[in-house]
Amino acid sequence: MPMRGGRVPAGRTDRADARPAGRLLRSRYGRGAAALCAGALPALAFPAPSLWWLAYVALVPWLLLIRSAGSGRRAAADGWLGGMGFMLAVHHWLMPSLHVFIVVLAALLGLLWAPWGLLVARLLGGSPSVRRSVAAVAVVPSGWLMIELVRSWEGLGGPWGLLGASQWEVPPALRVASAGGVWLVSLGVVAVNTAVALLVAVPPARAAATACLAAVALGAGAATLWAPRPEPAGTARIAVVQPGVVEGPGSVERRFTRGEELTRGLAGQGVDLVVWGESSVGVDLSRSRVTADRIAALSRLVGSDVLVNMDARRVDGPGRGGIYKSAVLVGPQGPTGDRYDKMRLVPFGEYVPARALLGWATSVGKAAGEDRLRGAGPVVMDLPGGPRVGPLVCFESAFPDMSRQLARDGAGVLVAQSSTSTFQNGWAPAQHASLAALRAAETGRPMVHATLTGVSAVYGPRGERVGTRLGTDASGAVVYDVPLARGTTLYVRLGAWPVYGALAVLAAFLGAVGLRSLRTPAPTRRVPRARTAGGSPGRPGR
């Protein structure tokens, strides 16, 4: 067995290293490839594969690989390469847009996992005691959560692919999300992986690992039973209009016309709101009276307001002009005045971070040639006789804090207007739609995810699917009887408290490590006895 520091005593050959797997892991390139593949494995838990159960063991190969690292440098490299593999796998559908630049981004973001690799090696390496094993089940997930927190910053790509989001169709996990958001689900998933790794690799710690698994299951069960549940508060009839794929010259106007046709078919169905997808209107309605009148005529015909999404250049005043993505509510008389401008933009897709430095990305991919402008704040819209609506645009549905703020501001229904037509044949549409289930469960508010080309779907206040979804091959309009709810979830009340808990766990661990290092005396170096003038150290005078 390797000694402290991961070194094998001289003159001894580890039997495992004689096997083909051992020889592969001793190779720099073989170990690097193994780390990339191990890090990519959890991506299969997300849509489209949706192997949600895999998330609870998908990290085990990666953890065991890092545990076998013979040095801190190798453990950090295993963490970095695994993180790179994870980012590539979860975002592989971006390759048509970013090309080789996605490898650069994945390599940079993968560095976030290098300290996590050191943390895993310290807690799981060697022969961990029962005490260290129990600490690992708390500290390793906390370290993972810090990575998710940092990369959730919009400038680093936003919170796409948070591990807890893979559990979007598991009712107990959705109940856990109502208590602590997707953050608490991520903590639980990584804790299970850590305990399973101990069960597999550390026989003396199996009892402790089993106890930790039981504790995680008990906590999830407690959340399922006792977390506040949203109380029914009637229903709202909301229609989603999905024009489908419309390409070629004049596609913007032809898509608008198709949206008109589908909306006319909703007449007489008693809907409370009609929702169109992102970029469904290509002109500024305040400057195009003809287009505004066409949508107002639809509102009068259907008997409800129409929530469209405007992707157009707008001038709000001197020095304040540019392209906005805006959710605009249109009533029988035209735009009602309720408008929400998208606040969080997609890096490279809608703006280029540090364009002076990274502007070259526009020459190797489909990065934005011009930066979009941001809105000033969240908006809750009032429907005549209906629920209040909290709009989000595109990947804003990935941010838990945004939907939480809308719920706190009084939104009764969350609406995300999206368009993933660029990635129509990849995993992105299904992944994006699944996020609405998490946001609904977290806030206790139903969520409508409306797109131009699919996947469009509706989820109730517990994250349950409502009705049928419109896939990427569909063009149509569907009316949903959306269940409304009142009351607040623990997540809406308390926010991202699991993140603060994870910070406290890491602070306590690092403090204990620091205190132990101060108390441990420095090792004394053995100094050879000096030779005397007339002999050797062993036989002086000779």
Side-chain angles (χ1 to χ4, degrees):
M1 180 174 290
M3 299 175 63
R4 174 179 264 174
R7 295 181 180 176
V8 177
R12 200 191 98 186
T13 301
D14 196 317
R15 291 180 182 176
D17 288 347
R19 299 170 184 166
R23 291 195 298 270
L24 176 68
L25 295 182
R26 286 204 312 275
S27 162
R28 176 183 301 177
Y29 297 107
R31 191 178 185 91
L36 283 168
C37 293
L41 186 60
L44 296 176
F46 295 89
S50 269
L51 304 177
W52 63 266
W53 50 267
L54 183 63
Y56 293 94
V57 293
L59 294 180
V60 173
W62 191 4
L63 292 169
L64 295 181
L65 180 68
I66 297 174
R67 168 181 149 77
S68 71
S71 66
R73 181 176 180 180
R74 178 171 288 179
D78 289 343
W80 168 52
L81 290 171
M84 181 178 175
F86 180 75
M87 296 306 292
L88 281 173
V90 172
H91 297 88
H92 73 275
W93 41 270
L94 284 171
M95 287 183 182
S97 296
L98 297 182
H99 301 299
V100 70
F101 195 63
I102 190 176
V103 179
V104 178
L105 290 175
L108 292 174
L109 291 173
L111 290 171
L112 293 171
W113 276 270
W116 186 73
L118 293 171
L119 193 67
V120 171
R122 183 178 185 93
L123 287 162
L124 298 183
S127 301
S129 64
V130 171
R131 183 176 180 181
R132 182 148 61 102
S133 299
V134 173
V137 178
V139 177
V140 170
S142 297
W144 181 280
L145 201 64
M146 292 304 102
I147 298 170
E148 293 198 335
L149 178 66
V150 172
R151 73 181 186 86
S152 292
W153 178 49
E154 173 199 336
L156 293 180
W160 192 281
L162 301 185
L163 197 56
S166 66
Q167 306 303 295
W168 65 278
E169 54 186 340
V170 183
L174 293 173
R175 291 287 293 141
V176 172
S178 75
V182 67
W183 313 110
L184 188 57
V185 183
S186 286
L187 273 178
V189 171
V190 182
V192 170
N193 276 274
T194 308
V196 171
L198 288 167
L199 282 172
V200 170
V202 188
R206 285 176 179 169
T210 302
C212 290
L213 285 173
V216 173
L218 185 63
T224 300
L225 291 174
W226 294 312
R229 295 177 183 269
E231 300 177 5
T235 60
R237 287 179 63 79
I238 298 178
V240 172
V241 173
Q242 180 175 299
V245 178
V246 180
E247 298 176 328
S251 59
V252 175
E253 176 59 29
R254 289 190 292 114
R255 184 186 300 118
F256 183 90
T257 301
R258 178 59 177 158
E260 280 184 306
E261 294 172 356
L262 293 171
T263 303
R264 290 192 191 101
L266 298 171
Q269 298 193 41
V271 296
D272 299 304
L273 176 68
V274 178
V275 183
W276 288 16
E278 179 188 10
S279 303
S280 48
V281 176
V283 295
D284 179 5
L285 294 179
S286 66
R287 304 181 61 153
S288 178
R289 188 65 194 174
V290 173
T291 304
D293 287 344
R294 289 169 68 180
I295 302 173
L298 293 174
S299 174
R300 292 191 295 270
L301 176 66
V302 175
S304 72
D305 288 355
V306 181
L307 184 66
V308 300
N309 190 273
M310 200 169 68
D311 186 356
R313 188 173 301 278
R314 195 176 77 228
V315 178
D316 288 347
R320 188 60 178 170
I323 301 174
Y324 288 86
K325 291 267 187 89
S326 306
V328 179
L329 194 63
V330 181
Q333 307 305 319
T336 65
D338 285 328
R339 186 190 76 209
Y340 166 68
D341 299 326
K342 185 177 183 182
M343 296 167 57
R344 296 183 184 173
L345 306 177
V346 179
F348 298 99
E350 294 172 334
Y351 80 105
V352 176
R355 183 176 286 273
L357 180 64
L358 300 176
W360 58 270
T362 59
S363 63
V364 298
K366 299 178 182 178
E370 177 183 350
D371 292 348
R372 269 53 174 174
L373 300 184
R374 302 172 187 271
V379 174
V380 176
M381 302 177 176
D382 293 308
L383 295 181
R388 304 185 73 198
V389 174
L392 298 167
V393 181
C394 192
F395 94 140
E396 288 183 330
S397 65
F399 292 86
D401 63 303
M402 296 193 73
S403 53
R404 174 178 178 255
Q405 185 59 55
L406 288 171
R408 289 172 65 88
D409 290 345
V413 175
L414 304 175
V415 175
Q417 296 173 300
S418 175
S419 171
T420 50
S421 53
T422 304
F423 317 105
Q424 192 74 357
N425 298 316
W427 293 1
Q431 282 189 29
H432 200 176
S434 71
L435 295 174
L438 267 295
R439 304 292 87 86
E442 288 170 340
T443 59
R445 296 293 180 266
M447 187 160 191
V448 176
H449 182 82
T451 73
L452 292 180
T453 58
V455 173
S456 295
V458 176
Y459 298 92
R462 298 182 183 181
E464 75 279 15
R465 183 177 293 172
V466 176
T468 59
R469 68 179 193 170
L470 287 165
T472 54
D473 58 346
S475 174
V478 179
V479 178
Y480 297 88
D481 289 316
V482 181
L484 304 178
R486 56 176 172 265
T488 55
T489 63
L490 284 178
Y491 176 69
V492 170
R493 295 179 199 171
L494 304 177
W497 61 266
V499 172
Y500 301 113
L503 280 169
V505 168
L506 286 174
F509 171 73
L510 295 175
V513 170
L515 187 61
R516 188 179 300 115
S517 65
L518 290 175
R519 289 179 176 176
T520 303
T524 57
R525 294 184 58 189
R526 295 183 61 185
V527 180
R529 285 181 287 179
R531 294 177 179 269
T532 62
S536 67
R539 305 179 68 180
R542 293 191 62 179

